Amino acid sequence: MKQNVFVYNTLTRTKEEFIPLDAPYIGMYVCGPTVYSDAHLGNARTYISFDLIFRYLTHLGYKVRYVRNITDAGHLEGDSDEGEDKISKKAKLSQLEPMEIVQMYATGFHEVMRQFNVLPPSIEPTATGHIIEQIELVKIMLDRGFAYEVDGSVYFDVEKYNSTQDYGVLSGRHLEDLLNNTRSLGGQDEKRGKLDFALWIKAKPEHLMKWPSPWSLGFPGWHLECSAMSHKYLGEQFDIHGGGLDLIPTHHTNEVAQNMACYGKNPAKYWVHTNMLTVNGQKMSKSLGNSFLPHELFSGDNNILNKGYSPMTVRFFMLQAHYRSTLDFSNDAMEASEKGFKRLMNAYTLLDGLKSSAETEIEIQPLLTRCYEALNDDFNSPVLIAELFEASRIINSVHDSKMKINEANLVELKNLMNTFVNGILGLQNEQAGTDELPQLMEFIVDLRSQAKSNRDYATSDRIRDGLQQIGFQLKDSKEGTTWSKI
Ligand code: AMP
Ligand code: ZN
């Protein structure tokens, strides 16, 4: 079934129909983590959001090449051209090799992604693995007059570029405005213009990670790696470029400028940006000191948390907000999500044991259409989840013999839940052994009926009360006995 997907494009500031450049192929590039510290929950939100997009487009039959890089060099403190490389600094502090730092945090990042059931990208390239490609881009920009060299460092000439292209096309903030609102930082006197940014930086003697180049022994500027790697694996123009919206004003703006300067094309047709996870209304960030780590949330081991929550509860919490809305973290919100997630999973568990009838009082097709409509509308996961709660109500009613469903609709209902809950939202049932629960309960209910028909009421009551104690309720009616979780 063909679906018309609409996506909000930061470039045009409108929701646009998503038309791939070369269907059925889709190229998607998402800026990956800088591996100098543990990925916090805010970072995880961004990658869970793109995981949903990746899963949905794949479900629709597209062949998605998803590139998500690892930044292992060139990202300086303060996200500018000043200060130390974040990874080198950490290496010095820990008395380790920079590559030990990279290995340690990349491994940790992958573990967090696995816990959240985020699928691995198709390619996960590193900045240090693409130094040659980055040097090639600098050469092109120098040749085309968009860059200049000063004492072994190379800078991008923003004002020169802006005379041919709009530098602020992505952020909506135009050059004059930016020039008026940017103060010159000390130590930037090499630059001709205060918005110019580094493409290649000559390394100071104490700098740890450096490579030979035509200009100096040095290292690439942070923004360059994404231009080089997206071009290498996805070409001059691809479908989706993503990241958190904090990357728009500098990192992505500069990436667009580099690609335009090299190839005359904006690298992506659709720029997709996720909003921030906040804590008490403030962006969760390591530098603000309000960040906490996924494993702290799982264990509850952080003084702002009342208790721990499972990885799937956290994933569900994230998906209950649209990716373009802010999401504020609180204990109350987590508790509400925990309840909601359990409700959804209880229904999911009942699905296998549902029995069909000859007639049906419910048609699943309209619900299925609404699930697709939700995702087609800019991947609206909260609306999808509301529809899945509707599906859960149907499951519970059929289970309690309050609603009849025929075989064809039951099959559709099962497919719908498997596809959307498991395949697209990536939610997994965490309760061990729950797959066999319906059969197990049916077995126990049978034993009790047998006891009753043998007039062994002591045993039948014992079974009912015992189940009640561990959280299952049995209901007897003319049609037989049904069970539910309390
Ligand atoms: P970094 O490792 O700092 O380069 O960030 C990795 C990704 O996480 C980027 O796409 C950021 O935009 C994103 N990010 C950082 N903080 C948050 C947050 N509080 N909420 C959502 N995404 C975030
Ligand atoms: Zn990037």
Side-chain angles (χ1 to χ4, degrees):
M1 193 188 350
K2 165 102 176 70
Q3 301 294 333
N4 295 324
V5 178
F6 284 76
V7 57
Y8 183 86
N9 189 354
T10 308
L11 202 54
T12 55
R13 281 162 268 281
T14 50
K15 237 188 249 180
E16 289 176 40
E17 181 162 6
F18 178 69
I19 301 169
L21 293 162
D22 184 20
Y25 301 100
I26 289 180
M28 175 160 97
Y29 187 93
V30 173
C31 294
T34 305
V35 283
Y36 73 107
S37 68
D38 290 308
H40 62 65
L41 211 63
N43 307 132
R45 181 183 186 205
T46 287
Y47 300 120
I48 289 173
S49 302
F50 284 103
D51 186 51
L52 171 75
I53 295 175
F54 180 38
R55 283 168 181 268
Y56 186 51
L57 295 176
T58 305
H59 166 77
L60 293 182
Y62 291 114
K63 298 188 185 334
V64 187
R65 180 180 291 167
Y66 176 16
V67 182
R68 190 187 68 205
N69 69 301
I70 294 271
T71 295
D72 59 353
H75 193 168
L76 302 188
E77 294 171 287
D79 301 337
S80 71
D81 297 336
E82 296 302 308
E84 259 191 277
D85 179 296
K86 293 187 184 198
I87 289 159
S88 296
K89 184 177 177 185
K90 184 72 172 225
K92 281 183 200 160
L93 284 172
S94 330
Q95 294 188 307
L96 291 170
E97 275 291 319
M99 279 299 138
E100 283 182 286
I101 297 294
V102 165
Q103 189 71 50
M104 186 158 82
Y105 291 111
T107 303
F109 172 69
H110 289 143
E111 174 59 13
V112 168
M113 292 297 102
R114 193 194 58 73
Q115 285 170 314
F116 282 129
N117 199 23
V118 170
L119 296 174
S122 329
I123 305 177
E124 194 171 48
T126 60
T128 56
H130 296 76
I131 300 293
I132 291 169
E133 287 82 351
Q134 296 182 71
I135 290 173
E136 286 309 305
L137 291 197
V138 180
K139 284 185 193 165
I140 300 174
M141 286 183 262
L142 280 166
D143 281 352
R144 303 192 69 184
F146 290 111
Y148 56 92
E149 184 201 337
V150 185
D151 189 26
S153 292
V154 182
Y155 297 99
F156 190 91
D157 189 335
V158 172
E159 280 168 74
K160 167 89 186 290
Y161 170 77
N162 196 69
S163 63
T164 61
Q165 298 288 335
D166 178 6
Y167 176 67
V169 64
L170 195 63
S171 67
R173 294 189 62 198
H174 300 295
L175 193 75
E176 235 164 72
D177 183 26
L178 289 169
L179 284 171
N180 291 336
N181 289 302
T182 311
R183 59 188 175 88
S184 283
L185 293 167
Q188 290 195 333
D189 22 321
E190 278 186 356
K191 294 181 187 178
R192 288 184 194 159
K194 54 185 176 178
L195 293 175
D196 294 358
F197 57 90
L199 298 171
W200 187 263
I201 302 166
K202 180 172 144 184
K204 298 202 176 89
E206 67 276 15
H207 195 90
L208 291 179
M209 287 190 286
K210 47 199 166 196
W211 293 264
S213 78
W215 316 286
S216 63
L217 190 62
F219 58 95
W222 172 35
H223 321 301
L224 195 57
E225 59 173 280
C226 291
S227 289
M229 293 186 277
S230 67
H231 176 256
K232 175 156 181 164
Y233 298 109
L234 299 170
E236 287 184 8
Q237 204 178 32
F238 48 92
D239 298 288
I240 298 174
H241 194 310
L245 54 70
D246 55 332
L247 299 182
I248 299 172
T250 310
H251 184 56
H252 287 169
T253 290
N254 292 346
E255 218 185 303
V256 171
Q258 290 167 161
N259 279 64
M260 290 292 297
C262 288
Y263 307 112
K265 283 183 183 158
N266 190 311
K269 189 173 175 192
Y270 305 95
W271 281 83
V272 176
H273 289 102
T274 55
N275 211 326
M276 297 290 108
L277 180 71
T278 58
V279 184
N280 295 321
Q282 240 191 351
K283 175 188 167 185
M284 179 179 283
S285 106
K286 201 159 180 269
S287 49
L288 289 172
N290 66 352
S291 67
F292 51 87
L293 303 178
H295 75 83
E296 295 172 320
L297 184 54
F298 303 153
S299 65
D301 192 13
N302 183 306
N303 47 17
I304 75 162
L305 298 167
N306 289 347
K307 64 178 193 112
Y309 298 91
S310 73
M312 284 300 110
T313 304
V314 183
R315 185 175 169 113
F316 181 76
F317 163 72
M318 305 256 190
L319 292 169
Q320 269 190 310
H322 186 245
Y323 77 86
R324 280 196 296 118
S325 314
T326 53
L327 172 61
D328 199 44
F329 179 87
S330 71
N331 283 292
D332 286 352
M334 281 308 305
E335 247 159 68
S337 287
E338 188 175 52
K339 283 204 187 98
F341 182 58
K342 274 196 181 145
R343 200 146 51 89
L344 189 63
M345 282 301 133
N346 282 344
Y348 197 53
T349 310
L350 292 178
L351 203 53
D352 263 350
L354 291 192
K355 294 195 178 62
S356 58
S357 312
E359 333 79 282
T360 198
E361 290 167 336
I362 181 83
E363 294 291 334
I364 299 302
Q365 191 60 43
L367 182 63
L368 183 67
T369 304
R370 293 202 301 276
C371 288
Y372 278 108
E373 278 169 1
L375 290 181
N376 292 345
D377 183 14
D378 198 20
F379 314 103
N380 200 324
S381 53
V383 171
L384 171 65
I385 289 172
E387 299 297 352
L388 294 174
F389 277 129
E390 179 57 27
S392 305
R393 273 189 288 276
I394 296 171
I395 294 170
N396 290 328
S397 301
V398 174
H399 174 78
D400 295 343
S401 309
K402 287 181 188 144
M403 186 188 273
K404 290 195 175 79
I405 191 165
N406 65 7
E407 186 57 26
N409 278 287
L410 183 58
V411 169
E412 275 195 38
L413 181 62
K414 285 184 182 176
N415 285 342
L416 181 150
M417 289 293 280
N418 285 331
T419 302
F420 286 94
V421 176
N422 203 261
I424 297 174
L425 290 179
L427 296 168
Q428 292 171 323
N429 210 340
E430 289 166 318
Q431 292 153 308
T434 41
D435 284 355
E436 297 79 27
L437 190 64
Q439 290 98 304
L440 189 65
M441 288 302 291
E442 208 169 317
F443 178 65
I444 298 174
V445 166
D446 256 10
L447 282 180
R448 180 166 166 270
S449 307
Q450 231 171 43
K452 260 169 106 177
S453 54
N454 294 340
R455 296 172 179 272
D456 179 1
Y457 297 114
T459 302
S460 94
D461 287 353
R462 213 178 124 208
I463 293 176
R464 189 198 54 212
D465 298 344
L467 286 175
Q468 173 103 25
Q469 261 182 12
I470 55 170
F472 293 93
Q473 189 165 38
L474 298 185
K475 257 192 233 154
D476 297 316
S477 71
K478 278 189 291 203
E479 284 81 32
T481 305
T482 58
W483 62 274
S484 56
K485 282 192 94 178
I486 301 167

